[in-house]
Amino acid sequence: MSDQRKPFPFADFESKWQQHWDENKTFRTPNPGDEDFDATKPKYFILDMFPYPSGAGLHVGHPEGYTATDILGRYKKMNGHNVLHPMGWDAFGLPAEQYAIKTGQHPRITTEQNVDNFRRQLKSLGFGYDWDREVNTTDPKYVRWTQWIFIQLYNSYFDEETKKARPVSELEAKGWSRDQVDDVRLAFIHEAPVNWSPSMGTVLANEEVEEWKSKGETVERRPLRQWMLRITKYADRLINELDPLDWPESIKLLQKNWIGKSTGAEVHFDIHGHEVTVFTTRPDTLFGATYMVLAPEHPLVGEITSSNQKETVDAYIASCASKSDLERGDLNKDKSGVPTGATATNPVNGEKIPVWIADYVMTGYGTGAIMAVPAHDERDFEFATKFDLPITQVVQPKNDDNWQGFTGNGISINSGFLDGMKTKDAKKAIIQWLRDNNKGSFKVNFKLRDWLFSRQRYWGEPFPILWEDGNHKAVPESELPLLQPDMEDFKPTGSPEGPLAKATDWINYSESSKRETNTMPQWAGSCWYYMRYCDPGNTERFISKEAEEYWSGTSNASENNGMVDLYVGGTEHAVLHLLYARFWHKVLHDLGHVSTIEPFQKLVNQGLILGEDGAKMSKSLGNVVNPDDVVLEYGADALRLYEMFMGPLEQVKPWQMKGVEGVSRFLAKVWRLAFEQNQEGEWILSTKLTHEDASVDKDKNLLKVLHETIKKVSDDIERLSFNTAISQMMICTNAFGKVDQLPAELVRDLLKCLNPFAPHLTEEINSKLQVPDSGIMLCDQDWPKYNEAYLVEDEVEIVVQVNGKLRGKITVTKDATKEDIETLAQQDENVQQHVEGKTIRKIIVVPGRLVNIVAN
RNA sequence: GCCGCCAUGGCGGAAUUGGUAGACGCGACGGAUUUAAAAUCCGUUGAAUGGUAACAUUCGUGCCGGUUCGAUUCCGGCUGGCGGUACCA
């Protein structure tokens, strides 16, 4: 399409307005303390999930969420809010480094180029971000505070009584030893089996393993010394404090399942003088425990294995170790295991039961050991059947269900003093017994593991930690940020020390102390970026108290509210990012640095945009849509509008280029409400427009449709229902297009409604409309108010049903009585035909809507 | 396997509190304008039957059943698709 052919000259004015907004800092948000800060304005904090600036540039999924928040932000601004709607870059991370290794270019350079490209692309879409607040997680001024927060974690412990983080200095004051303190820090060193990727030369979090495996990287289990964050201490609060949040229930559930709380008991068994503890959610079935299983990696396996079983056991452990997680889990549901030759004593009845090892018991969950109750557990049942182990029924199902493998609640039998009790009561009774006899206790277990926080990479925040005689301590805060040294060779070493170990000058901090060579994972920077937006230039603190309180809204609300009013992003972060960020926020809250207990009050997940073929967009399928191309062909406003018109924000929906044409046609119609082409093909103000001309009565129908539109668009924006808002504006535009005389102020009010959606087009028209406020940008004007008087109709159409089926329509005045309506309805010819020969039993009148005559 | 979400014309979708199913857009068809096309404008468009027509009737929101004067909407049971998770004791 040549420029002549474009239905409206978007290419001319879109870049013009973008430049204008940029130069005038139109969307700058004043902070407390700024000259133009107005404390009387309510705050509104809208957050987009900031992008990882990949080399591929923006894809159409990004502008989906970003347009939605931009519309809401512009709407709130026009409604008198002080809107914080910033953007930044999650720029550390493995992809940048992998790319750097391939090309030999320093990741800082490629990251910078990618950021520039992303910024250019976002600006070309006309988003109203306050670019003065841009943050970049790799910026030394930002890294400084990420490391500072790490030190806060390092210097804190979790106080079990108050369920809050406290400074470890309190423990030191009480005389705790260095080792005791190190054992309770929220950031701690731990030697544990971890996911080591030989191909990438780094350790990965459990949560990341599958993602990288699917990209072809190798991952294996290996015991290593790593930095961990004690997120498990917050497990209960991370579940309970979800409640007041305005999040999709499905996401809350996802997080709850991930944390995986289960309540039960710990029971101590004796194996030849060794105490082995198991965790069970069904302590009431203790009498039915007919054997015990230890995970192959359980530390006691070596000691308890009898000499004649040693060979078998060793061989089994070796075979488990060589199996990948996939072979052990997904591919092999068949139970395997071997007896150790040892016997355990069931504490409740003194019975001797065999001890096995089997890989269906995991080392990382519970105690890595179970009591097997084959009668009432599917897995134990399968195992016992396969290896011919005894099965004892101890629960009687309430109905006549088969008790073999019955896992539900019932009545205890064959269980001594528990006999006859309901499962719920039996649990209580046995726990009490275990307590009294020192054989166990009530216990809560979580699936959530502590967060493996170290990586062996170059492109991440170095740990602000020094090592001295095998002990660690924090780098003085005055020395932050601690940046990676400039290195020629930042390739992974393949050893768990990571590439920083090669920077020999850098490592040696002093005669006696060396630097930690691990770096933090990408999550670190994204855990707190929303806070930095509130006070991005602060060199004294990560956020000033004043800015924190203002943007948290705690001056007029409670600490139970989340800081961010609305957070929009994809579901892929439903668990990890959102859980990690909540954890950090809570720690900072406990330590008195932030006033709310949660970061994000309302969360909305945008739905994935699929390719035109209904499949997920991917290079290999060739169905990827590049936003740059769409902007070039149809303009930024059309792209924005289309992405909002496709369907509900949260829904998965396929791209349709024809749909872009449709909204582009709509925008052209709006353009032609104000302009027409003269003989030379130039756009001149439409001759249909009337200006403050008292001789022309404003068309009542136009006022009605306009005010309906104002009402609907306002409501729809509030509930993020952008597709229906747009369809209403289409209806209004179609109505405006039909008349010969169109008052310019009515067009201006429609433009105000459309402005958050299509800011370039509407500002351009408004600036030339020759209405009183044409000189003021729409985004600086007030949102229009609808007038109820224009909406009410003198006459209403009412539907008449007979037995629930539509049989006629009547028109009544708005003050018609119920009786009038009933009479009128019965007079309708078609209605009479359907009532004929029947007795009217009942007439239901829904005022203003329908009449239903029930007859038989 | 378990948990969650979804299902409406040829297509994307609308129906906000149980009250006219299919708004709005796309596509298709017919027409106006044009030398012609593009663009634009007007009209028709869930299916079937009857009628020259206005219109009327029946069916219709994945399937089966229930509650209700009335169900796309609420309840129970299925089927299909998508997402998460997986031997979690």
Side-chain angles (χ1 to χ4, degrees), chain A residues 49 153 207 229-242 245 247 251-261 446-451 453 523-524 526-528 530 567 570-587 597-600 603:
Chain A
M49 286 186 184
L153 287 153
E207 296 85 346
L229 298 186
R230 225 179 279 281
I231 190 172
T232 49
K233 289 289 180 194
Y234 280 80
D236 252 325
R237 282 181 57 189
L238 287 168
I239 290 176
N240 298 337
E241 289 164 14
L242 273 173
L245 298 182
W247 287 22
I251 301 293
K252 288 188 183 180
L253 207 68
L254 226 50
Q255 290 220 346
K256 283 180 193 167
N257 290 343
W258 188 265
I259 296 165
K261 180 176 184 170
F446 295 95
K447 273 198 262 184
L448 184 71
R449 320 279 173 86
D450 278 327
W451 176 10
F453 196 64
W523 305 112
S526 61
C527 266
W528 71 283
Y530 57 96
Y567 195 15
T571 349
E572 66 271 23
H573 295 116
V575 180
L576 302 182
H577 160 64
L578 288 173
L579 203 62
Y580 294 155
R582 292 179 63 217
F583 166 50
W584 279 33
H585 194 96
K586 286 178 192 303
V587 174
I597 59 169
E598 284 282 339
F600 316 119
L603 175 73

Side-chain angles (χ1 to χ4, degrees), chain A residues 603-616:
Chain A
L603 175 73
V604 171
N605 285 121
Q606 81 218 43
L608 199 65
I609 296 181
L610 305 174
E612 200 123 9
D613 53 1
K616 212 167 160 173

